[in-house]
Amino acid sequence: MLTAIELPSIMFKVVCSKGTYIRRLAHDLGVKLGVGGYLHTLCRTQIGDYCLDQAYSLEALLKINRFSDFPIQCSGGESVQLMP
């Protein structure tokens, strides 16, 4: 899905399965347009059940003193604690 056009750049969102080469997609798109193409930035927003909006920031992780204080959410919804 095309999300923005700020020539000479375009931004787009791709929903794909594992094994998809997004850098290659950008290259192929450039070839089709006759202008060349490459990725300036790549942001994975979801991998399997893991979503970016559920991720901890680096600052939040640095505030945690021990792994046992860090709850992990499993795909089934239950929480587990990491052992030190």
Side-chain angles (χ1 to χ4, degrees):
M1 169 176 52
L2 193 59
T3 60
I5 299 175
E6 297 173 17
L7 295 176
S9 298
I10 63 169
M11 280 63 76
F12 57 93
K13 180 177 181 177
V14 175
V15 177
C16 59
S17 61
K18 63 182 177 179
T20 303
Y21 292 93
I22 301 303
R23 287 177 182 86
R24 182 65 196 203
L25 176 63
H27 174 267
D28 292 348
L29 181 59
V31 169
K32 281 281 193 190
L33 294 172
V35 296
Y38 67 93
L39 283 182
H40 178 270
T41 304
L42 174 64
C43 179
R44 296 179 193 274
T45 59
Q46 184 173 346
I47 299 174
D49 292 335
Y50 301 101
C51 297
L52 184 60
D53 62 351
Q54 298 170 333
Y56 288 91
S57 69
L58 179 58
E59 291 78 18
L61 292 174
L62 292 173
K63 289 180 183 177
I64 298 170
N65 293 327
R66 294 181 16 210
F67 280 125
S68 61
D69 296 333
F70 187 68
I72 303 297
Q73 190 75 25
C74 296
S75 60
E78 68 276 7
S79 287
V80 297
Q81 298 294 119
L82 292 177
M83 300 300 290

